[in-house]
Amino acid sequence: MSSPYDAVLFDLDGTLSDSIGLILESYRHTMKIHLGKALPDELWLNGVGTPLDNQLAEFAQNPKEIPAMRKTYSDYYIERHDADIGMFPGAIEAVAQLKQLGIKIGIVTSKSRVGVERTLRLHQLLEFFDVVVSADDTKNGKPHPEPVLFALSQIGITPTRACFVGDSTHDIEAGNAAGVDSVAVEWGPYPRKALEECQPKKWLKAPEDILRLGDPSP
C-alpha cells in the first residue's frame, strides 16, 4: 500500500481514544456540583475538541469560577481514567501500519499535555507518535489552524503532503484552514450532517478504514 501523504495527524478523543463516555460523565458531575443541575449532553458535545477552559466558560456563572470547575472536572476524569478509557478497536493497529510505511504520524488534541500523556502512557503509546501537540503547546486551539500547522512544523512536512483525521467539526475546520486534507470519521459523537457542513476532503466509516488513507479518494 502506498500513500499520498508524508504525514497523517489524528485527533485523540473520539477519533483514536474511546473516551466520550467519560468526558460526558465528567461534564455531568461538574454541572451538578457547580450549577446544581444536570444539563443536556448536546451542550457539551458541541464543544468537544476545543480546550477545556473554553468549554467551561460557556457554563461558568463568572470567569472566576472556571478554575474551580476545571478542578472538579479534572479530578473526576483522572480518578476514572485508567478504568474507563480505551482505544477504538483496530485504530492503533491501522495507524501502526501507516507508520511502517514510513509516514510521519502525530496527535493534535485539545487535551492538556498531562492529559494526553496520561492516555498515551496507559496504552503504551507515549513514544509511538512522531509529534504530539496538546492544548498547552499553542496560543490558539482548534478550530484555529495553529495546532495543525505547529505539528507539521515539528516534523518538517508541508500541509499539501498531510492530512488531519478527526471526529469533530472543530477538527475539520482546523484541517481545512491549515491547508491539509481534512478527514472525518463516522464513529465519533458528531452527527454526519454537522461534519458534512464543514466539507471534509475524505470520510472513514470505521477505525480499520484508516488504512484507506492510502487510496486516492476514500
Side-chain angles (χ1 to χ4, degrees), residues 13 18-32 38-48 55 59 73 76-77 80 84-85 188-190:
D13 292 315
D18 187 4
S19 54
I20 300 302
L22 179 56
I23 286 171
L24 287 174
E25 289 177 14
S26 303
Y27 152 70
R28 296 172 194 136
H29 173 75
T30 302
M31 296 306 115
K32 288 178 181 178
L39 297 176
D41 288 349
E42 290 75 16
L43 296 179
W44 192 256
L45 285 173
N46 288 336
V48 169
Q55 287 184 272
F59 301 91
Y73 180 99
Y76 188 94
Y77 186 91
R80 291 158 179 77
D84 292 352
I85 295 296
Y190 274 73

PDB file of all heavy atoms in Angstrom, residues 13 18-32 38-48 55 59 73 76-77 80 84-85 188-190:
ATOM      1  N   ASP A  13      -9.394  12.213  21.370  1.00  0.00           N
ATOM      2  CA  ASP A  13     -10.689  11.833  21.932  1.00  0.00           C
ATOM      3  C   ASP A  13     -11.755  11.722  20.846  1.00  0.00           C
ATOM      4  O   ASP A  13     -11.983  12.658  20.079  1.00  0.00           O
ATOM      5  CB  ASP A  13     -11.143  12.866  22.964  1.00  0.00           C
ATOM      6  CG  ASP A  13     -10.266  12.853  24.208  1.00  0.00           C
ATOM      7  OD1 ASP A  13      -9.967  11.762  24.712  1.00  0.00           O
ATOM      8  OD2 ASP A  13      -9.872  13.944  24.672  1.00  0.00           O
ATOM      9  N   ASP A  18     -11.469   6.010  22.814  1.00  0.00           N
ATOM     10  CA  ASP A  18     -12.906   5.864  23.085  1.00  0.00           C
ATOM     11  C   ASP A  18     -13.201   6.459  24.460  1.00  0.00           C
ATOM     12  O   ASP A  18     -13.387   5.743  25.445  1.00  0.00           O
ATOM     13  CB  ASP A  18     -13.281   4.384  23.032  1.00  0.00           C
ATOM     14  CG  ASP A  18     -14.783   4.162  23.131  1.00  0.00           C
ATOM     15  OD1 ASP A  18     -15.534   5.146  23.172  1.00  0.00           O
ATOM     16  OD2 ASP A  18     -15.198   2.988  23.175  1.00  0.00           O
ATOM     17  N   SER A  19     -13.226   7.775  24.522  1.00  0.00           N
ATOM     18  CA  SER A  19     -13.277   8.478  25.804  1.00  0.00           C
ATOM     19  C   SER A  19     -14.502   9.372  25.975  1.00  0.00           C
ATOM     20  O   SER A  19     -14.651  10.033  27.010  1.00  0.00           O
ATOM     21  CB  SER A  19     -12.018   9.336  25.957  1.00  0.00           C
ATOM     22  OG  SER A  19     -11.872  10.189  24.833  1.00  0.00           O
ATOM     23  N   ILE A  20     -15.380   9.418  24.991  1.00  0.00           N
ATOM     24  CA  ILE A  20     -16.508  10.342  25.041  1.00  0.00           C
ATOM     25  C   ILE A  20     -17.432  10.038  26.213  1.00  0.00           C
ATOM     26  O   ILE A  20     -17.975  10.949  26.849  1.00  0.00           O
ATOM     27  CB  ILE A  20     -17.294  10.321  23.716  1.00  0.00           C
ATOM     28  CG1 ILE A  20     -16.380  10.727  22.553  1.00  0.00           C
ATOM     29  CG2 ILE A  20     -18.497  11.261  23.794  1.00  0.00           C
ATOM     30  CD1 ILE A  20     -15.749  12.095  22.696  1.00  0.00           C
ATOM     31  N   GLY A  21     -17.606   8.755  26.548  1.00  0.00           N
ATOM     32  CA  GLY A  21     -18.449   8.399  27.683  1.00  0.00           C
ATOM     33  C   GLY A  21     -17.957   9.025  28.975  1.00  0.00           C
ATOM     34  O   GLY A  21     -18.737   9.612  29.736  1.00  0.00           O
ATOM     35  N   LEU A  22     -16.654   8.931  29.243  1.00  0.00           N
ATOM     36  CA  LEU A  22     -16.090   9.506  30.463  1.00  0.00           C
ATOM     37  C   LEU A  22     -16.110  11.034  30.409  1.00  0.00           C
ATOM     38  O   LEU A  22     -16.329  11.697  31.427  1.00  0.00           O
ATOM     39  CB  LEU A  22     -14.662   9.003  30.676  1.00  0.00           C
ATOM     40  CG  LEU A  22     -13.940   9.554  31.915  1.00  0.00           C
ATOM     41  CD1 LEU A  22     -14.738   9.265  33.188  1.00  0.00           C
ATOM     42  CD2 LEU A  22     -12.534   8.949  32.024  1.00  0.00           C
ATOM     43  N   ILE A  23     -15.900  11.603  29.239  1.00  0.00           N
ATOM     44  CA  ILE A  23     -15.963  13.052  29.082  1.00  0.00           C
ATOM     45  C   ILE A  23     -17.354  13.560  29.473  1.00  0.00           C
ATOM     46  O   ILE A  23     -17.492  14.544  30.206  1.00  0.00           O
ATOM     47  CB  ILE A  23     -15.618  13.449  27.633  1.00  0.00           C
ATOM     48  CG1 ILE A  23     -14.109  13.296  27.393  1.00  0.00           C
ATOM     49  CG2 ILE A  23     -16.065  14.876  27.315  1.00  0.00           C
ATOM     50  CD1 ILE A  23     -13.687  13.459  25.951  1.00  0.00           C
ATOM     51  N   LEU A  24     -18.385  12.875  29.029  1.00  0.00           N
ATOM     52  CA  LEU A  24     -19.750  13.290  29.357  1.00  0.00           C
ATOM     53  C   LEU A  24     -20.062  13.084  30.839  1.00  0.00           C
ATOM     54  O   LEU A  24     -20.736  13.912  31.458  1.00  0.00           O
ATOM     55  CB  LEU A  24     -20.747  12.530  28.491  1.00  0.00           C
ATOM     56  CG  LEU A  24     -20.802  12.964  27.024  1.00  0.00           C
ATOM     57  CD1 LEU A  24     -21.717  12.045  26.227  1.00  0.00           C
ATOM     58  CD2 LEU A  24     -21.260  14.415  26.893  1.00  0.00           C
ATOM     59  N   GLU A  25     -19.571  11.989  31.423  1.00  0.00           N
ATOM     60  CA  GLU A  25     -19.776  11.769  32.853  1.00  0.00           C
ATOM     61  C   GLU A  25     -19.116  12.880  33.670  1.00  0.00           C
ATOM     62  O   GLU A  25     -19.686  13.362  34.664  1.00  0.00           O
ATOM     63  CB  GLU A  25     -19.207  10.408  33.263  1.00  0.00           C
ATOM     64  CG  GLU A  25     -19.997   9.214  32.750  1.00  0.00           C
ATOM     65  CD  GLU A  25     -19.328   7.894  33.124  1.00  0.00           C
ATOM     66  OE1 GLU A  25     -18.420   7.919  33.981  1.00  0.00           O
ATOM     67  OE2 GLU A  25     -19.716   6.858  32.559  1.00  0.00           O
ATOM     68  N   SER A  26     -17.934  13.291  33.271  1.00  0.00           N
ATOM     69  CA  SER A  26     -17.208  14.353  33.974  1.00  0.00           C
ATOM     70  C   SER A  26     -17.947  15.679  33.854  1.00  0.00           C
ATOM     71  O   SER A  26     -18.010  16.454  34.820  1.00  0.00           O
ATOM     72  CB  SER A  26     -15.789  14.472  33.412  1.00  0.00           C
ATOM     73  OG  SER A  26     -15.093  13.241  33.508  1.00  0.00           O
ATOM     74  N   TYR A  27     -18.497  15.928  32.694  1.00  0.00           N
ATOM     75  CA  TYR A  27     -19.299  17.143  32.470  1.00  0.00           C
ATOM     76  C   TYR A  27     -20.545  17.146  33.357  1.00  0.00           C
ATOM     77  O   TYR A  27     -20.843  18.142  34.026  1.00  0.00           O
ATOM     78  CB  TYR A  27     -19.666  17.206  30.992  1.00  0.00           C
ATOM     79  CG  TYR A  27     -20.949  17.923  30.660  1.00  0.00           C
ATOM     80  CD1 TYR A  27     -21.068  19.307  30.796  1.00  0.00           C
ATOM     81  CD2 TYR A  27     -22.048  17.210  30.171  1.00  0.00           C
ATOM     82  CE1 TYR A  27     -22.249  19.960  30.455  1.00  0.00           C
ATOM     83  CE2 TYR A  27     -23.225  17.852  29.830  1.00  0.00           C
ATOM     84  CZ  TYR A  27     -23.324  19.223  29.977  1.00  0.00           C
ATOM     85  OH  TYR A  27     -24.492  19.864  29.633  1.00  0.00           O
ATOM     86  N   ARG A  28     -21.263  16.025  33.367  1.00  0.00           N
ATOM     87  CA  ARG A  28     -22.485  15.956  34.173  1.00  0.00           C
ATOM     88  C   ARG A  28     -22.174  16.182  35.648  1.00  0.00           C
ATOM     89  O   ARG A  28     -22.887  16.923  36.338  1.00  0.00           O
ATOM     90  CB  ARG A  28     -23.154  14.595  33.981  1.00  0.00           C
ATOM     91  CG  ARG A  28     -23.646  14.312  32.561  1.00  0.00           C
ATOM     92  CD  ARG A  28     -24.120  12.884  32.432  1.00  0.00           C
ATOM     93  NE  ARG A  28     -24.285  12.486  31.035  1.00  0.00           N
ATOM     94  CZ  ARG A  28     -23.886  11.327  30.535  1.00  0.00           C
ATOM     95  NH1 ARG A  28     -23.291  10.426  31.326  1.00  0.00           N
ATOM     96  NH2 ARG A  28     -24.082  11.041  29.269  1.00  0.00           N
ATOM     97  N   HIS A  29     -21.108  15.549  36.118  1.00  0.00           N
ATOM     98  CA  HIS A  29     -20.694  15.706  37.516  1.00  0.00           C
ATOM     99  C   HIS A  29     -20.367  17.170  37.823  1.00  0.00           C
ATOM    100  O   HIS A  29     -20.801  17.711  38.852  1.00  0.00           O
ATOM    101  CB  HIS A  29     -19.480  14.817  37.787  1.00  0.00           C
ATOM    102  CG  HIS A  29     -18.859  15.014  39.127  1.00  0.00           C
ATOM    103  ND1 HIS A  29     -19.429  14.540  40.293  1.00  0.00           N
ATOM    104  CD2 HIS A  29     -17.710  15.651  39.494  1.00  0.00           C
ATOM    105  CE1 HIS A  29     -18.663  14.866  41.319  1.00  0.00           C
ATOM    106  NE2 HIS A  29     -17.615  15.537  40.861  1.00  0.00           N
ATOM    107  N   THR A  30     -19.633  17.801  36.922  1.00  0.00           N
ATOM    108  CA  THR A  30     -19.219  19.190  37.134  1.00  0.00           C
ATOM    109  C   THR A  30     -20.420  20.132  37.174  1.00  0.00           C
ATOM    110  O   THR A  30     -20.494  21.032  38.023  1.00  0.00           O
ATOM    111  CB  THR A  30     -18.243  19.621  36.030  1.00  0.00           C
ATOM    112  OG1 THR A  30     -17.116  18.740  36.034  1.00  0.00           O
ATOM    113  CG2 THR A  30     -17.767  21.054  36.242  1.00  0.00           C
ATOM    114  N   MET A  31     -21.357  19.939  36.277  1.00  0.00           N
ATOM    115  CA  MET A  31     -22.534  20.813  36.249  1.00  0.00           C
ATOM    116  C   MET A  31     -23.388  20.639  37.505  1.00  0.00           C
ATOM    117  O   MET A  31     -23.918  21.612  38.051  1.00  0.00           O
ATOM    118  CB  MET A  31     -23.370  20.539  34.996  1.00  0.00           C
ATOM    119  CG  MET A  31     -22.663  20.863  33.690  1.00  0.00           C
ATOM    120  SD  MET A  31     -22.011  22.556  33.584  1.00  0.00           S
ATOM    121  CE  MET A  31     -20.253  22.237  33.503  1.00  0.00           C
ATOM    122  N   LYS A  32     -23.510  19.412  37.993  1.00  0.00           N
ATOM    123  CA  LYS A  32     -24.295  19.182  39.207  1.00  0.00           C
ATOM    124  C   LYS A  32     -23.638  19.856  40.415  1.00  0.00           C
ATOM    125  O   LYS A  32     -24.310  20.434  41.265  1.00  0.00           O
ATOM    126  CB  LYS A  32     -24.448  17.687  39.453  1.00  0.00           C
ATOM    127  CG  LYS A  32     -25.398  17.004  38.480  1.00  0.00           C
ATOM    128  CD  LYS A  32     -25.483  15.509  38.747  1.00  0.00           C
ATOM    129  CE  LYS A  32     -26.405  14.825  37.749  1.00  0.00           C
ATOM    130  NZ  LYS A  32     -26.465  13.348  37.975  1.00  0.00           N
ATOM    131  N   ALA A  38     -28.383  19.024  36.203  1.00  0.00           N
ATOM    132  CA  ALA A  38     -27.844  18.382  35.007  1.00  0.00           C
ATOM    133  C   ALA A  38     -28.277  19.171  33.783  1.00  0.00           C
ATOM    134  O   ALA A  38     -29.366  19.755  33.749  1.00  0.00           O
ATOM    135  CB  ALA A  38     -28.350  16.950  34.910  1.00  0.00           C
ATOM    136  N   LEU A  39     -27.423  19.211  32.784  1.00  0.00           N
ATOM    137  CA  LEU A  39     -27.730  19.892  31.536  1.00  0.00           C
ATOM    138  C   LEU A  39     -27.655  18.890  30.388  1.00  0.00           C
ATOM    139  O   LEU A  39     -27.016  17.835  30.509  1.00  0.00           O
ATOM    140  CB  LEU A  39     -26.731  21.023  31.298  1.00  0.00           C
ATOM    141  CG  LEU A  39     -26.731  22.163  32.333  1.00  0.00           C
ATOM    142  CD1 LEU A  39     -25.627  23.148  32.023  1.00  0.00           C
ATOM    143  CD2 LEU A  39     -28.080  22.858  32.380  1.00  0.00           C
ATOM    144  N   PRO A  40     -28.289  19.170  29.265  1.00  0.00           N
ATOM    145  CA  PRO A  40     -28.269  18.234  28.140  1.00  0.00           C
ATOM    146  C   PRO A  40     -26.850  17.937  27.649  1.00  0.00           C
ATOM    147  O   PRO A  40     -26.008  18.839  27.580  1.00  0.00           O
ATOM    148  CB  PRO A  40     -29.081  18.971  27.066  1.00  0.00           C
ATOM    149  CG  PRO A  40     -29.954  19.913  27.816  1.00  0.00           C
ATOM    150  CD  PRO A  40     -29.145  20.353  28.997  1.00  0.00           C
ATOM    151  N   ASP A  41     -26.597  16.678  27.323  1.00  0.00           N
ATOM    152  CA  ASP A  41     -25.279  16.288  26.817  1.00  0.00           C
ATOM    153  C   ASP A  41     -24.896  17.060  25.559  1.00  0.00           C
ATOM    154  O   ASP A  41     -23.717  17.347  25.319  1.00  0.00           O
ATOM    155  CB  ASP A  41     -25.254  14.785  26.509  1.00  0.00           C
ATOM    156  CG  ASP A  41     -25.263  13.935  27.772  1.00  0.00           C
ATOM    157  OD1 ASP A  41     -25.087  14.487  28.878  1.00  0.00           O
ATOM    158  OD2 ASP A  41     -25.447  12.706  27.641  1.00  0.00           O
ATOM    159  N   GLU A  42     -25.898  17.408  24.747  1.00  0.00           N
ATOM    160  CA  GLU A  42     -25.618  18.069  23.478  1.00  0.00           C
ATOM    161  C   GLU A  42     -24.878  19.393  23.674  1.00  0.00           C
ATOM    162  O   GLU A  42     -24.078  19.791  22.833  1.00  0.00           O
ATOM    163  CB  GLU A  42     -26.926  18.331  22.716  1.00  0.00           C
ATOM    164  CG  GLU A  42     -27.598  17.082  22.172  1.00  0.00           C
ATOM    165  CD  GLU A  42     -28.292  16.268  23.250  1.00  0.00           C
ATOM    166  OE1 GLU A  42     -28.517  16.803  24.357  1.00  0.00           O
ATOM    167  OE2 GLU A  42     -28.596  15.084  22.975  1.00  0.00           O
ATOM    168  N   LEU A  43     -25.143  20.053  24.789  1.00  0.00           N
ATOM    169  CA  LEU A  43     -24.486  21.333  25.039  1.00  0.00           C
ATOM    170  C   LEU A  43     -22.985  21.165  25.184  1.00  0.00           C
ATOM    171  O   LEU A  43     -22.199  22.012  24.748  1.00  0.00           O
ATOM    172  CB  LEU A  43     -25.061  21.981  26.303  1.00  0.00           C
ATOM    173  CG  LEU A  43     -26.536  22.384  26.257  1.00  0.00           C
ATOM    174  CD1 LEU A  43     -26.964  22.981  27.592  1.00  0.00           C
ATOM    175  CD2 LEU A  43     -26.787  23.361  25.120  1.00  0.00           C
ATOM    176  N   TRP A  44     -22.550  20.071  25.805  1.00  0.00           N
ATOM    177  CA  TRP A  44     -21.129  19.805  25.984  1.00  0.00           C
ATOM    178  C   TRP A  44     -20.514  19.226  24.715  1.00  0.00           C
ATOM    179  O   TRP A  44     -19.382  19.570  24.340  1.00  0.00           O
ATOM    180  CB  TRP A  44     -20.918  18.855  27.157  1.00  0.00           C
ATOM    181  CG  TRP A  44     -19.481  18.744  27.584  1.00  0.00           C
ATOM    182  CD1 TRP A  44     -18.620  17.714  27.333  1.00  0.00           C
ATOM    183  CD2 TRP A  44     -18.723  19.704  28.337  1.00  0.00           C
ATOM    184  NE1 TRP A  44     -17.382  17.965  27.872  1.00  0.00           N
ATOM    185  CE2 TRP A  44     -17.425  19.180  28.498  1.00  0.00           C
ATOM    186  CE3 TRP A  44     -19.026  20.945  28.886  1.00  0.00           C
ATOM    187  CZ2 TRP A  44     -16.428  19.863  29.198  1.00  0.00           C
ATOM    188  CZ3 TRP A  44     -18.035  21.621  29.568  1.00  0.00           C
ATOM    189  CH2 TRP A  44     -16.756  21.077  29.718  1.00  0.00           C
ATOM    190  N   LEU A  45     -21.256  18.364  24.048  1.00  0.00           N
ATOM    191  CA  LEU A  45     -20.731  17.737  22.834  1.00  0.00           C
ATOM    192  C   LEU A  45     -20.404  18.768  21.762  1.00  0.00           C
ATOM    193  O   LEU A  45     -19.484  18.575  20.969  1.00  0.00           O
ATOM    194  CB  LEU A  45     -21.739  16.724  22.285  1.00  0.00           C
ATOM    195  CG  LEU A  45     -21.850  15.403  23.052  1.00  0.00           C
ATOM    196  CD1 LEU A  45     -22.999  14.570  22.510  1.00  0.00           C
ATOM    197  CD2 LEU A  45     -20.540  14.620  22.978  1.00  0.00           C
ATOM    198  N   ASN A  46     -21.134  19.866  21.752  1.00  0.00           N
ATOM    199  CA  ASN A  46     -20.856  20.916  20.764  1.00  0.00           C
ATOM    200  C   ASN A  46     -19.446  21.475  20.903  1.00  0.00           C
ATOM    201  O   ASN A  46     -18.876  21.986  19.936  1.00  0.00           O
ATOM    202  CB  ASN A  46     -21.867  22.062  20.908  1.00  0.00           C
ATOM    203  CG  ASN A  46     -23.244  21.680  20.429  1.00  0.00           C
ATOM    204  OD1 ASN A  46     -23.400  20.771  19.613  1.00  0.00           O
ATOM    205  ND2 ASN A  46     -24.261  22.363  20.922  1.00  0.00           N
ATOM    206  N   GLY A  47     -18.882  21.388  22.098  1.00  0.00           N
ATOM    207  CA  GLY A  47     -17.557  21.942  22.326  1.00  0.00           C
ATOM    208  C   GLY A  47     -16.449  20.917  22.396  1.00  0.00           C
ATOM    209  O   GLY A  47     -15.275  21.283  22.535  1.00  0.00           O
ATOM    210  N   VAL A  48     -16.794  19.621  22.319  1.00  0.00           N
ATOM    211  CA  VAL A  48     -15.761  18.583  22.371  1.00  0.00           C
ATOM    212  C   VAL A  48     -14.793  18.789  21.209  1.00  0.00           C
ATOM    213  O   VAL A  48     -15.196  18.936  20.057  1.00  0.00           O
ATOM    214  CB  VAL A  48     -16.392  17.176  22.314  1.00  0.00           C
ATOM    215  CG1 VAL A  48     -15.310  16.121  22.097  1.00  0.00           C
ATOM    216  CG2 VAL A  48     -17.144  16.886  23.605  1.00  0.00           C
ATOM    217  N   GLN A  55     -14.597  25.471  26.918  1.00  0.00           N
ATOM    218  CA  GLN A  55     -15.890  24.822  27.125  1.00  0.00           C
ATOM    219  C   GLN A  55     -16.529  25.277  28.435  1.00  0.00           C
ATOM    220  O   GLN A  55     -17.712  25.613  28.480  1.00  0.00           O
ATOM    221  CB  GLN A  55     -15.722  23.303  27.141  1.00  0.00           C
ATOM    222  CG  GLN A  55     -15.452  22.686  25.782  1.00  0.00           C
ATOM    223  CD  GLN A  55     -15.396  21.179  25.874  1.00  0.00           C
ATOM    224  OE1 GLN A  55     -14.334  20.618  26.124  1.00  0.00           O
ATOM    225  NE2 GLN A  55     -16.513  20.525  25.684  1.00  0.00           N
ATOM    226  N   PHE A  59     -20.376  27.791  30.561  1.00  0.00           N
ATOM    227  CA  PHE A  59     -21.282  27.390  31.636  1.00  0.00           C
ATOM    228  C   PHE A  59     -21.016  28.125  32.946  1.00  0.00           C
ATOM    229  O   PHE A  59     -21.895  28.187  33.806  1.00  0.00           O
ATOM    230  CB  PHE A  59     -21.165  25.882  31.881  1.00  0.00           C
ATOM    231  CG  PHE A  59     -21.484  25.048  30.675  1.00  0.00           C
ATOM    232  CD1 PHE A  59     -20.494  24.664  29.781  1.00  0.00           C
ATOM    233  CD2 PHE A  59     -22.795  24.656  30.427  1.00  0.00           C
ATOM    234  CE1 PHE A  59     -20.797  23.909  28.669  1.00  0.00           C
ATOM    235  CE2 PHE A  59     -23.103  23.897  29.314  1.00  0.00           C
ATOM    236  CZ  PHE A  59     -22.110  23.516  28.425  1.00  0.00           C
ATOM    237  N   TYR A  73     -13.898  18.959  37.290  1.00  0.00           N
ATOM    238  CA  TYR A  73     -13.942  18.126  36.087  1.00  0.00           C
ATOM    239  C   TYR A  73     -12.716  17.212  36.014  1.00  0.00           C
ATOM    240  O   TYR A  73     -12.825  15.998  35.821  1.00  0.00           O
ATOM    241  CB  TYR A  73     -14.009  19.020  34.850  1.00  0.00           C
ATOM    242  CG  TYR A  73     -14.068  18.284  33.531  1.00  0.00           C
ATOM    243  CD1 TYR A  73     -15.273  18.102  32.877  1.00  0.00           C
ATOM    244  CD2 TYR A  73     -12.907  17.781  32.932  1.00  0.00           C
ATOM    245  CE1 TYR A  73     -15.336  17.425  31.664  1.00  0.00           C
ATOM    246  CE2 TYR A  73     -12.955  17.104  31.730  1.00  0.00           C
ATOM    247  CZ  TYR A  73     -14.176  16.933  31.089  1.00  0.00           C
ATOM    248  OH  TYR A  73     -14.226  16.260  29.899  1.00  0.00           O
ATOM    249  N   TYR A  76     -12.464  14.346  38.673  1.00  0.00           N
ATOM    250  CA  TYR A  76     -13.386  13.247  38.362  1.00  0.00           C
ATOM    251  C   TYR A  76     -12.845  12.416  37.197  1.00  0.00           C
ATOM    252  O   TYR A  76     -12.836  11.184  37.240  1.00  0.00           O
ATOM    253  CB  TYR A  76     -14.757  13.823  38.020  1.00  0.00           C
ATOM    254  CG  TYR A  76     -15.849  12.793  37.856  1.00  0.00           C
ATOM    255  CD1 TYR A  76     -16.678  12.443  38.918  1.00  0.00           C
ATOM    256  CD2 TYR A  76     -16.058  12.167  36.625  1.00  0.00           C
ATOM    257  CE1 TYR A  76     -17.693  11.508  38.766  1.00  0.00           C
ATOM    258  CE2 TYR A  76     -17.061  11.227  36.463  1.00  0.00           C
ATOM    259  CZ  TYR A  76     -17.880  10.898  37.528  1.00  0.00           C
ATOM    260  OH  TYR A  76     -18.872   9.955  37.368  1.00  0.00           O
ATOM    261  N   TYR A  77     -12.389  13.104  36.162  1.00  0.00           N
ATOM    262  CA  TYR A  77     -11.886  12.442  34.967  1.00  0.00           C
ATOM    263  C   TYR A  77     -10.661  11.585  35.293  1.00  0.00           C
ATOM    264  O   TYR A  77     -10.571  10.415  34.889  1.00  0.00           O
ATOM    265  CB  TYR A  77     -11.537  13.491  33.919  1.00  0.00           C
ATOM    266  CG  TYR A  77     -11.140  12.944  32.567  1.00  0.00           C
ATOM    267  CD1 TYR A  77     -12.080  12.746  31.576  1.00  0.00           C
ATOM    268  CD2 TYR A  77      -9.802  12.638  32.281  1.00  0.00           C
ATOM    269  CE1 TYR A  77     -11.722  12.256  30.322  1.00  0.00           C
ATOM    270  CE2 TYR A  77      -9.430  12.146  31.043  1.00  0.00           C
ATOM    271  CZ  TYR A  77     -10.393  11.963  30.073  1.00  0.00           C
ATOM    272  OH  TYR A  77     -10.023  11.465  28.844  1.00  0.00           O
ATOM    273  N   ARG A  80     -11.187   8.242  37.231  1.00  0.00           N
ATOM    274  CA  ARG A  80     -11.793   7.137  36.483  1.00  0.00           C
ATOM    275  C   ARG A  80     -11.062   6.800  35.191  1.00  0.00           C
ATOM    276  O   ARG A  80     -11.415   5.837  34.503  1.00  0.00           O
ATOM    277  CB  ARG A  80     -13.260   7.486  36.176  1.00  0.00           C
ATOM    278  CG  ARG A  80     -14.118   7.487  37.431  1.00  0.00           C
ATOM    279  CD  ARG A  80     -15.381   8.317  37.267  1.00  0.00           C
ATOM    280  NE  ARG A  80     -16.193   8.266  38.485  1.00  0.00           N
ATOM    281  CZ  ARG A  80     -15.920   8.960  39.590  1.00  0.00           C
ATOM    282  NH1 ARG A  80     -14.859   9.756  39.627  1.00  0.00           N
ATOM    283  NH2 ARG A  80     -16.691   8.852  40.656  1.00  0.00           N
ATOM    284  N   ASP A  84     -11.679   3.489  32.589  1.00  0.00           N
ATOM    285  CA  ASP A  84     -12.747   3.765  31.631  1.00  0.00           C
ATOM    286  C   ASP A  84     -12.294   4.145  30.236  1.00  0.00           C
ATOM    287  O   ASP A  84     -13.117   4.220  29.323  1.00  0.00           O
ATOM    288  CB  ASP A  84     -13.638   4.895  32.166  1.00  0.00           C
ATOM    289  CG  ASP A  84     -14.435   4.484  33.392  1.00  0.00           C
ATOM    290  OD1 ASP A  84     -14.409   3.287  33.738  1.00  0.00           O
ATOM    291  OD2 ASP A  84     -15.080   5.358  33.997  1.00  0.00           O
ATOM    292  N   ILE A  85     -10.996   4.403  30.036  1.00  0.00           N
ATOM    293  CA  ILE A  85     -10.532   4.870  28.731  1.00  0.00           C
ATOM    294  C   ILE A  85      -9.910   3.719  27.939  1.00  0.00           C
ATOM    295  O   ILE A  85      -9.007   3.027  28.413  1.00  0.00           O
ATOM    296  CB  ILE A  85      -9.491   5.994  28.879  1.00  0.00           C
ATOM    297  CG1 ILE A  85     -10.133   7.231  29.500  1.00  0.00           C
ATOM    298  CG2 ILE A  85      -8.893   6.345  27.521  1.00  0.00           C
ATOM    299  CD1 ILE A  85     -11.198   7.870  28.661  1.00  0.00           C
ATOM    300  N   GLY A 188     -17.352   8.830  15.749  1.00  0.00           N
ATOM    301  CA  GLY A 188     -17.335   9.758  16.877  1.00  0.00           C
ATOM    302  C   GLY A 188     -18.721  10.263  17.230  1.00  0.00           C
ATOM    303  O   GLY A 188     -19.730   9.813  16.666  1.00  0.00           O
ATOM    304  N   PRO A 189     -18.818  11.223  18.161  1.00  0.00           N
ATOM    305  CA  PRO A 189     -20.118  11.692  18.643  1.00  0.00           C
ATOM    306  C   PRO A 189     -20.820  12.696  17.738  1.00  0.00           C
ATOM    307  O   PRO A 189     -22.004  12.960  17.924  1.00  0.00           O
ATOM    308  CB  PRO A 189     -19.763  12.352  19.981  1.00  0.00           C
ATOM    309  CG  PRO A 189     -18.370  12.874  19.768  1.00  0.00           C
ATOM    310  CD  PRO A 189     -17.700  11.838  18.903  1.00  0.00           C
ATOM    311  N   TYR A 190     -20.115  13.262  16.777  1.00  0.00           N
ATOM    312  CA  TYR A 190     -20.731  14.293  15.944  1.00  0.00           C
ATOM    313  C   TYR A 190     -21.571  13.674  14.830  1.00  0.00           C
ATOM    314  O   TYR A 190     -21.139  12.727  14.167  1.00  0.00           O
ATOM    315  CB  TYR A 190     -19.648  15.178  15.320  1.00  0.00           C
ATOM    316  CG  TYR A 190     -19.203  16.313  16.204  1.00  0.00           C
ATOM    317  CD1 TYR A 190     -18.416  16.073  17.323  1.00  0.00           C
ATOM    318  CD2 TYR A 190     -19.569  17.628  15.942  1.00  0.00           C
ATOM    319  CE1 TYR A 190     -18.006  17.115  18.153  1.00  0.00           C
ATOM    320  CE2 TYR A 190     -19.161  18.677  16.761  1.00  0.00           C
ATOM    321  CZ  TYR A 190     -18.388  18.404  17.864  1.00  0.00           C
ATOM    322  OH  TYR A 190     -17.989  19.434  18.680  1.00  0.00           O
TER     323      TYR A 190
END
